[in-house]
Amino acid sequence: MVWNQYKSELNSAWNDVQTQSGLRARWDAACRGNTGIECFDAWADELVTTGYLHNHARMWFASIWIFSLKLPWQLGADFLLRHLLDGDPASNTLGWRWVAGVQTKGKTYLAQASNITKYTQGRFHPKHHLADEALPVSSAEAPKPRVLPTTDRVQRGLRTGLLLHEDDLAVSWITQDLKPDATIVLAPQTQVGPLCSAPRVSTFRSAAQNDAISRYGERLGDISHAQTAQDVLDNAATHGLGQLVTVYVPTGPVSDVLAKLESTCQDVPLRRVLSRYDALSWHYATKGFFAFKKQIPHFLNSIVRSL
């Protein structure tokens, strides 16, 4: 899996940062926005200050990180994911892999000074600071797309807990068919690699969870909160639950917690259910965003017909 491979490569890159003073200095300068490349430094500051970057800036930033600053792409992916309010583990990881030329083998993305000048309306002119070529970096082969997973069967008649997590807070479709006796809210997962996410990221996602609770509160039963997989199990025992139901998560930190729950949870089985959107759109998501975009009207029509 790309996610597990990324985590392993990130840990290896972090070890290099700890042992190679030159790499650590360049990594630190990039994170602090102190590289001398004006556009890059401005974007680093904007990201840390606001938790957001425009999509074009994210691609330029990644390209400069990899090909101009000669830094490991895994450290750059980690930097963005630690600061982006809308950071998604799958799209962030695959986006950096694509820029580096390891997702679509041999196809890299080179940030061009003329492009940056044009689309920033003359704000930046990095003509003499950017790499002239973008040679693919070495990495393991990209795995093949996974088939659509099956939805676990929710057993009727058991005391049921809903496990609410940051990856999918639109759970009205679950509570239409299932009235949970309790809901356990899994706190935002703030650590993928050796460093924690910025505090504003956790604050933002906690606020989103609180909004979901306020909207669906009457349908959720008794509400409790958990930080770890063990906390989830402890809360399930406290509420006398016979099963836990949660929205399926393909990859990322939340998926790691769910996998740990599945491996340790003997008395309270975990049922992962696919959202309607995932079920209808999954088989279109095989060739990147633009191919997927062309199919959006088709599966949206399918959703409308299913309502």
Side-chain angles (χ1 to χ4, degrees):
M1 291 174 59
V2 169
W3 179 248
N4 290 333
Q5 178 184 316
Y6 160 68
K7 289 190 296 180
S8 175
E9 292 176 352
L10 173 60
N11 286 332
S12 177
W14 179 251
N15 287 337
D16 290 341
V17 166
Q18 301 305 301
T19 58
Q20 300 176 23
S21 59
L23 174 61
R24 183 175 184 86
R26 289 186 289 114
W27 170 80
D28 187 66
C31 294
R32 293 178 182 275
N34 193 29
T35 67
I37 302 176
E38 184 183 9
C39 58
F40 182 94
D41 293 345
W43 295 326
D45 181 68
E46 181 180 351
L47 174 64
V48 172
T49 302
T50 69
Y52 181 77
L53 277 182
H54 187 278
N55 180 56
H56 285 176
R58 296 183 196 198
M59 293 193 298
W60 294 327
F61 187 94
S63 182
I64 295 171
W65 179 287
I66 298 168
F67 302 116
S68 298
L69 299 177
K70 305 296 184 182
L71 289 167
W73 71 264
Q74 298 88 349
L75 294 175
D78 176 64
F79 180 59
L80 253 68
L81 194 58
R82 285 190 287 109
H83 288 282
L84 285 171
L85 298 181
D86 64 345
D88 175 80
S91 62
N92 184 67
T93 304
L94 293 181
W96 278 81
R97 284 174 59 87
W98 176 76
V99 170
V102 298
Q103 186 61 28
T104 303
K105 203 65 177 177
K107 183 177 182 180
T108 58
Y109 176 75
L110 179 65
Q112 298 181 350
S114 59
N115 202 28
I116 293 173
T117 299
K118 176 181 177 181
Y119 288 104
T120 62
Q121 298 180 330
R123 179 185 176 191
F124 299 116
H125 301 271
K127 184 175 181 179
H128 302 295
H129 296 89
L130 306 187
D132 295 323
E133 61 179 359
L135 300 177
V137 301
S138 60
S139 184
E141 290 288 332
K144 296 183 182 300
R146 284 185 288 172
V147 298
L148 179 70
T150 56
T151 288
D152 293 334
R153 186 175 65 86
V154 178
Q155 186 173 339
R156 303 298 175 180
L158 293 179
R159 279 187 61 81
T160 299
L162 173 64
L163 180 57
L164 188 67
H165 54 70
E166 64 193 275
D167 274 32
D168 196 327
L169 297 173
V171 294
S172 60
W173 59 276
I174 290 183
T175 56
Q176 286 174 355
D177 300 324
L178 178 74
K179 185 176 180 180
D181 297 286
T183 293
I184 302 172
V185 183
L186 181 64
Q189 300 303 295
T190 59
Q191 191 159 6
V192 173
L195 299 177
C196 288
S197 300
R200 71 168 65 246
V201 174
S202 180
T203 299
F204 177 85
R205 295 178 184 177
S206 293
Q209 289 181 325
N210 291 336
D211 176 69
I213 292 170
S214 69
R215 285 184 285 119
Y216 305 130
E218 295 181 356
R219 309 182 196 178
L220 301 181
D222 294 332
I223 297 173
S224 59
H225 297 265
Q227 294 282 340
T228 65
Q230 186 58 52
D231 291 341
V232 173
L233 295 178
D234 291 343
N235 285 349
T238 298
H239 290 290
L241 302 178
Q243 65 184 345
L244 285 169
V245 178
T246 194
V247 180
Y248 179 82
V249 182
T251 193
V254 172
S255 181
D256 292 343
V257 174
L258 298 185
K260 187 173 183 180
L261 271 175
E262 230 167 13
S263 66
T264 59
C265 187
Q266 302 296 327
D267 299 326
V268 187
L270 179 68
R271 318 292 192 191
R272 304 195 202 195
V273 294
L274 278 172
S275 73
R276 181 184 293 122
Y277 295 101
D278 282 343
L280 290 172
S281 64
W282 186 285
H283 63 284
Y284 295 119
T286 59
K287 299 294 182 180
F289 171 72
F290 292 106
F292 178 79
K293 179 182 177 182
K294 294 178 181 177
Q295 303 300 329
I296 289 177
H298 299 298
F299 68 77
L300 286 182
N301 287 335
S302 298
I303 291 173
V304 171
R305 289 195 299 269
S306 69
L307 295 178

